[in-house]
Amino acid sequence: MFYDAVEVASRDELAALQTEGLRRTVATCLASPFYRRRLGALGVGPEDFNSPLDIRKLPFTTKDDLRVGYPDGFLCQPREDFIRLHVSSGTTGAPTAVFYTANDVAAWANLVARCMHAVGLRRGDVFQNMSGYGLFTGGLGIHYGAERLGCLTVPAGAGNSKRQLKLLRDFKVDGVHIIPSYALHFGQFLRQEGVDPADLGWRFALIGAEPHTERTRRRIEEVLGLKAFNSYGLTEMNGPGVAFECAAQAGMHVWEDAYLAEIVDPQTGAPLPDGETGELVMTTLGRDGMPLLRYRTRDLTRFIPGECACGRTHRRLDRITGRTDDMIIIKGCNIFPMQIEQVLMAMPEVANNYLIELYQENDMDQIRVKVEVRDEVFAAAAPTLAGLHKRMVARLRDEVLVTPAVELVRAGSIPAAEGKAVRVEDHRLLEPA
Amino acid sequence: MFYDAVEVASRDELAALQTEGLRRTVATCLASPFYRRRLGALGVGPEDFNSPLDIRKLPFTTKDDLRVGYPDGFLCQPREDFIRLHVSSGTTGAPTAVFYTANDVAAWANLVARCMHAVGLRRGDVFQNMSGYGLFTGGLGIHYGAERLGCLTVPAGAGNSKRQLKLLRDFKVDGVHIIPSYALHFGQFLRQEGVDPADLGWRFALIGAEPHTERTRRRIEEVLGLKAFNSYGLTEMNGPGVAFECAAQAGMHVWEDAYLAEIVDPQTGAPLPDGETGELVMTTLGRDGMPLLRYRTRDLTRFIPGECACGRTHRRLDRITGRTDDMIIIKGCNIFPMQIEQVLMAMPEVANNYLIELYQENDMDQIRVKVEVRDEVFAAAAPTLAGLHKRMVARLRDEVLVTPAVELVRAGSIPAAEGKAVRVEDHRLLEPA
Ligand SMILES: [Zn+2]
Ligand SMILES: [Zn+2]
């Protein structure tokens, strides 16, 4: 019934595992240049950790620390023990890299397999990985997990909907991994092709990589005719497989034998009580090659109080509601893109994609939202469109407290992203100030 | 010095291994619907194989057999034992699929690791996989092999030269996997960027997927400032890792403990003496899930007589000099002219004739399709023609997985052929090298 007995370990057993993991991890960290310096300055060692709460004796590790340590300042094993690396960003901005030993790759695959099993996938099921491969951890991460679980894995990669559909049919696929924006796009493709999703016989979609609302999930389930399960991961913590929904779809179990998760006040860093929303901070407990202590994910979420119907004892994270750093400030107002998504996805006229553009006009920062609307809406008479436009502007203003420029565009006209969708384009530094 | 002692086994030992492998493979094959029927009709069983030459008792397996058996008529193990499949072609035209058990994936990785070791790569070296992932076996095949060997593997994927360069530098890459046309293109990119390839410190490029000349290899070595090693593989035989050059660069050792290779007359199927060029026929000797007996690769090559300076005893294949069919390989994708014809003939705007032209641009193989359109279409307004052009490019790309240049021409402007229409003009060898 469970992939691993540890999924239903008692809270006391989990605390003991976490303490042991914390000690081992602190000991391992002493081999890296970065942590040797930092822990040395602090005068702490493995013996100082006698409960999971003792993690608070440690300082945070930040994205900037990783950037400074790039490419290899965090390695705790001899160079020749590493077999993989992933890089978290593009050509601009300072990148960060995560390195994996063979043990790390195997342990990661195991966690992903555990997640896929929790969703309902089993050995012998057919699984199509519809996400890009390469440096994006969602590709190889899910792929290795699927093979580990024993699924017949179809490495379809991203894009080419026609071919995806052929593979889904030819191999009677049971489950897929797909990023939310492409899932919505693929749903539209099925409709255009006159395919009834129910005829595909698929049952599960793992969706992650892009934060999304509950409403978007329900919409994906509707257009694809399956159950969609939210997943959480980030390259710094391996990639996918950190936290995953179970069949109850009531929050994502974070695997507490492998990660020690905390929620802190993003301003002060102080721990927050269970149930309160704050910044997620993660510590690896089983990583050999490049363990990280109290890594500030910059993702905002909370622990969901209470027990899950599935019987797993690992605490559940709520879906990510924003990030401490993707906050947009326009005219003195703090805006999270997620707020805009919530407004748009609640409007039935809206199609799948939208784009937030930031620009300058008259020396002021401005926000413009391009919104795809359904074909039948787009084809409607001018007064209908004007009415929709007015309502949309009003609702957005009510939510974010500034009045955005809104442009209604034809469905499909905003390029679908491969990998993580870029929902915000910031032109403020490019245009003349 | 060698990755596996079997690389220097005596010819007698290899013959014994092949006989044993052949018996085991015939026994395994009896579990598949296709071979049970075929071997049953023939009345042969494992006991009939007492030397590698006894393989001649078996009939050939062809690409058409695989198409008829698609998707799963060749499976020899229970469905739930398979963890991977790769598919060899596009959406129309009958595709073929190859299925792998966990053992098959591991054995394949081992063969690829052996190849990479033969080239000179070692555990601890940094290896960047610059080929696409997904269904293309060159991606995951080389990736698993590199990890198996213990290289620090950078899953860069295809394209984005700027990022490739950054990764090569940041991680001090020792070796890469790159398809020949992209290798030449990347050489040009380096020159444009003013990068001296010698400064990169890289040493090895594995090049395969596209047949190429010795001259192209030397040119790749020159523009990249490293040694380039030819490799041979095909999806039906797993993918890469079937035969690989060693440091001597004098032909590709085919791993005779894993494959039984024959060269036959493509017309009669009769075995040819060593040294004569003919069609390569391959039998898997260690594959559990989907063994193939005497598979006609349609690749033309020969065994290179004599012994290799490296000491390996496995016979060497010469580079592929052509194919028995009309398959075109562009950017690592297999394209049959028939696929292009099917797409075009399904579009009512298309008149009678078309022409496929292969050429080189920026050192990369390119494909251009000239298409005659009906007079009334050709006379239409510019937006109509532009729309048709766009649709045609998209459909062709969906089918053949590369984006061709498309030129719409007036009906009757492509000279009609007498006798068998020549639909393909290959200008690649005619243009200045
Ligand atoms: Zn649960
Ligand atoms: Zn040799």
Side-chain angles (χ1 to χ4, degrees):
Chain A
M1 180 151 179
F2 299 101
Y3 186 73
D4 194 317
V6 79
E7 294 173 54
V8 289
S10 72
R11 293 300 309 171
D12 282 350
E13 286 166 332
L14 281 176
L17 283 173
Q18 290 198 317
T19 305
E20 190 193 316
L22 192 50
R23 274 192 199 155
R24 194 176 48 230
T25 298
V26 169
T28 304
C29 279
L30 291 169
S32 82
F34 176 84
Y35 282 121
R36 192 166 47 240
R37 197 171 348 104
R38 179 166 283 191
L39 298 179
L42 212 65
V44 296
E47 65 284 359
D48 296 311
F49 298 86
N50 299 304
S51 104
L53 290 180
D54 285 336
I55 197 163
R56 295 176 186 172
K57 296 177 180 177
L58 293 168
F60 296 116
T61 305
T62 66
K63 184 95 174 169
D64 280 339
D65 291 329
L66 291 187
R67 284 180 177 146
V68 170
Y70 180 88
D72 56 7
F74 280 81
L75 304 195
C76 296
Q77 306 294 338
R79 281 300 294 256
E80 63 270 24
D81 284 359
F82 290 90
I83 65 163
R84 173 96 63 86
L85 68 82
H86 283 277
V87 172
S88 66
S89 83
T91 47
T92 61
T96 59
V98 175
F99 292 68
Y100 308 73
T101 65
N103 280 346
D104 292 335
V105 167
W108 178 20
N110 222 44
L111 287 175
V112 173
R114 191 196 284 182
C115 295
M116 295 176 68
H117 188 277
V119 154
L121 282 156
R122 293 292 179 273
R123 176 167 184 260
D125 282 344
V126 184
F127 182 79
Q128 188 160 320
N129 194 3
M130 297 170 71
S131 85
Y133 280 71
L135 291 165
F136 172 54
T137 48
L140 287 168
I142 294 285
H143 180 94
Y144 274 59
E147 289 193 353
R148 170 65 61 110
L149 180 56
C151 289
L152 172 54
T153 309
V154 185
N160 198 340
S161 297
K162 208 163 179 173
R163 188 181 206 190
Q164 300 278 7
L165 175 59
K166 178 165 172 57
L167 295 167
L168 290 171
R169 282 173 159 159
D170 286 356
F171 301 111
K172 300 180 180 59
V173 168
D174 298 289
V176 299
H177 174 226
I178 188 166
I179 61 172
S181 53
Y182 185 54
L184 290 168
H185 175 82
F186 194 71
Q188 203 175 41
F189 166 79
L190 291 179
R191 204 175 52 205
Q192 280 162 4
E193 295 284 307
V195 176
D196 180 352
D199 291 344
L200 293 176
W202 54 357
R203 294 171 289 155
F204 311 103
L206 320 184
I207 54 175
E210 297 165 341
H212 55 278
T213 58
E214 180 63 23
R215 184 151 186 126
T216 295
R217 181 244 289 276
R218 293 303 167 202
R219 195 133 157 211
I220 289 171
E221 293 189 326
E222 208 180 290
V223 298
L224 298 187
L226 41 61
K227 285 274 175 200
F229 296 87
N230 194 10
S231 98
Y232 178 73
L234 65 167
T235 300
E236 291 80 1
M237 293 291 127
N238 288 343
V242 173
F244 231 88
E245 283 187 330
C246 62
Q249 292 188 317
M252 302 178 286
H253 292 282
V254 55
W255 303 120
E256 296 189 85
D257 56 320
Y259 300 98
L260 204 160
E262 304 166 83
I263 302 288
V264 305
D265 182 313
Q267 307 303 321
T268 65
L272 291 176
D274 264 25
E276 280 191 32
T277 295
E279 181 178 356
L280 177 64
V281 171
M282 302 281 297
T283 297
T284 62
L285 296 177
R287 207 152 72 173
D288 283 347
M290 187 176 158
L292 291 177
L293 301 171
R294 300 196 91 193
Y295 180 69
R296 293 189 69 146
T297 66
R298 305 192 290 189
D299 287 320
L300 296 174
T301 183
R302 65 182 189 116
F303 283 118
I304 296 175
E307 286 169 14
C308 184
C310 74
R312 288 179 183 81
T313 51
H314 300 235
R315 283 182 299 173
R316 289 164 297 158
L317 292 176
D318 208 345
R319 57 177 66 246
I320 307 299
T321 55
R323 288 179 54 83
T324 60
D325 62 353
D326 65 0
M327 193 175 69
I328 302 161
I329 305 181
I330 297 282
K331 298 174 187 170
C333 294
N334 299 343
I335 304 173
F336 286 100
M338 190 57 53
Q339 294 176 280
I340 290 173
E341 175 165 335
Q342 272 166 340
V343 170
L344 297 179
M345 290 305 145
M347 301 184 75
E349 296 91 345
V350 171
N352 294 327
N353 214 348
Y354 68 92
L355 181 67
I356 300 167
E357 293 177 315
L358 308 178
Y359 63 103
Q360 285 199 321
E361 198 176 70
N362 303 328
D363 282 339
M364 299 237 331
D365 287 352
Q366 308 280 354
I367 183 167
R368 176 170 48 220
V369 188
K370 278 189 182 162
V371 185
E372 289 187 2
V373 294
R374 295 183 187 283
D375 287 334
E376 63 272 20
V377 178
F378 197 77
T384 309
L385 272 183
L388 171 62
H389 184 273
K390 196 175 166 189
R391 259 182 300 134
M392 197 179 284
V393 170
R395 291 197 197 170
L396 286 170
R397 186 193 51 228
D398 288 348
E399 175 63 33
V400 301
L401 308 181
V402 296
T403 305
V406 167
E407 191 181 331
L408 303 180
V409 300
R410 184 186 296 278
S413 65
I414 297 173
E418 296 198 7
K420 251 179 197 184
V422 180
R423 302 290 199 188
V424 182
E425 283 185 0
D426 194 340
H427 300 286
R428 287 175 296 181
L429 301 178
L430 305 173
E431 289 170 2
Chain B
M1 181 149 179
F2 299 101
Y3 186 73
D4 194 316
V6 79
E7 294 173 54
V8 288
S10 72
R11 294 299 309 171
D12 282 350
E13 286 167 330
L14 281 176
L17 283 173
Q18 289 198 318
T19 305
E20 190 192 316
L22 191 50
R23 275 192 199 159
R24 194 177 47 229
T25 298
V26 168
T28 304
C29 279
L30 291 169
S32 81
F34 176 84
Y35 282 121
R36 192 167 47 239
R37 196 170 352 101
R38 179 166 283 192
L39 298 179
L42 212 65
V44 297
E47 66 286 357
D48 296 310
F49 298 86
N50 298 305
S51 103
L53 289 180
D54 285 337
I55 197 165
R56 296 177 186 172
K57 296 177 179 176
L58 293 168
F60 295 116
T61 305
T62 66
K63 184 95 174 169
D64 280 338
D65 291 330
L66 291 187
R67 285 180 177 147
V68 169
Y70 180 87
D72 55 7
F74 280 81
L75 304 194
C76 296
Q77 306 294 337
R79 280 302 293 258
E80 63 269 25
D81 285 359
F82 290 89
I83 65 163
R84 173 96 63 84
L85 68 82
H86 283 277
V87 171
S88 66
S89 82
T91 49
T92 62
T96 60
V98 175
F99 293 68
Y100 308 72
T101 65
N103 280 345
D104 293 335
V105 168
W108 179 19
N110 221 44
L111 287 175
V112 173
R114 192 195 285 181
C115 295
M116 294 176 68
H117 188 277
V119 155
L121 282 156
R122 294 292 179 271
R123 176 167 183 259
D125 283 344
V126 184
F127 182 79
Q128 188 160 318
N129 194 3
M130 297 170 71
S131 86
Y133 280 71
L135 292 165
F136 172 54
T137 48
L140 287 168
I142 295 285
H143 181 93
Y144 274 60
E147 289 193 352
R148 171 64 61 108
L149 181 55
C151 290
L152 172 55
T153 309
V154 185
N160 197 342
S161 297
K162 208 162 182 172
R163 188 181 205 189
Q164 300 278 5
L165 175 58
K166 178 166 172 55
L167 295 167
L168 289 172
R169 283 174 159 157
D170 286 356
F171 301 110
K172 300 180 178 61
V173 168
D174 298 289
V176 299
H177 174 227
I178 188 167
I179 61 173
S181 54
Y182 185 55
L184 290 168
H185 176 81
F186 194 72
Q188 202 177 42
F189 166 80
L190 291 180
R191 204 173 51 207
Q192 280 162 3
E193 295 284 307
V195 176
D196 181 352
D199 291 344
L200 293 176
W202 55 357
R203 294 171 290 155
F204 312 103
L206 319 184
I207 54 175
E210 297 166 338
H212 56 278
T213 59
E214 181 64 24
R215 190 186 170 96
T216 297
R217 183 244 289 275
R218 293 303 167 203
R219 190 139 154 217
I220 289 171
E221 293 190 326
E222 208 180 290
V223 297
L224 299 187
L226 41 61
K227 284 275 174 199
F229 296 88
N230 193 10
S231 98
Y232 177 72
L234 65 167
T235 300
E236 291 80 0
M237 293 291 126
N238 287 344
V242 173
F244 232 88
E245 283 188 331
C246 62
Q249 291 187 318
M252 301 177 286
H253 293 282
V254 56
W255 302 121
E256 296 188 86
D257 55 322
Y259 300 99
L260 203 161
E262 305 167 81
I263 303 288
V264 305
D265 182 311
Q267 307 303 321
T268 66
L272 292 175
D274 263 24
E276 280 191 30
T277 295
E279 181 178 357
L280 177 64
V281 172
M282 302 281 296
T283 297
T284 63
L285 296 178
R287 207 152 73 173
D288 284 347
M290 188 176 156
L292 291 177
L293 300 171
R294 301 195 91 194
Y295 179 71
R296 292 189 71 146
T297 67
R298 304 192 289 191
D299 287 320
L300 297 174
T301 183
R302 66 182 189 117
F303 283 117
I304 296 175
E307 286 169 14
C308 185
C310 74
R312 287 179 183 81
T313 50
H314 299 235
R315 283 183 299 174
R316 289 164 296 158
L317 292 176
D318 208 345
R319 57 176 67 247
I320 307 300
T321 55
R323 291 181 53 84
T324 62
D325 60 21
D326 53 2
M327 190 177 77
I328 303 160
I329 304 181
I330 297 280
K331 297 172 187 170
C333 293
N334 300 343
I335 304 174
F336 288 94
M338 192 53 56
Q339 293 178 281
I340 289 172
E341 180 162 332
Q342 274 168 336
V343 169
L344 296 179
M345 292 309 144
M347 301 184 75
E349 297 90 344
V350 171
N352 295 324
N353 214 349
Y354 67 93
L355 181 66
I356 299 166
E357 294 178 319
L358 309 178
Y359 61 105
Q360 285 201 319
E361 194 176 78
N362 302 328
D363 282 331
M364 294 201 35
D365 287 351
Q366 307 281 353
I367 182 167
R368 176 169 47 221
V369 187
K370 279 188 182 165
V371 185
E372 289 186 0
V373 294
R374 294 181 189 285
D375 288 337
E376 65 272 21
V377 178
F378 197 75
T384 308
L385 272 183
L388 171 63
H389 183 272
K390 195 173 165 190
R391 257 182 302 135
M392 197 178 284
V393 170
R395 292 198 195 169
L396 286 169
R397 185 194 50 227
D398 284 349
E399 173 59 30
V400 302
L401 308 182
V402 297
T403 305
V406 167
E407 192 181 331
L408 303 179
V409 300
R410 185 184 297 278
S413 65
I414 297 173
E418 296 190 16
K420 199 177 179 186
V422 181
R423 302 291 197 186
V424 183
E425 283 184 8
D426 193 340
H427 300 286
R428 287 175 297 180
L429 302 177
L430 305 174
E431 288 169 2

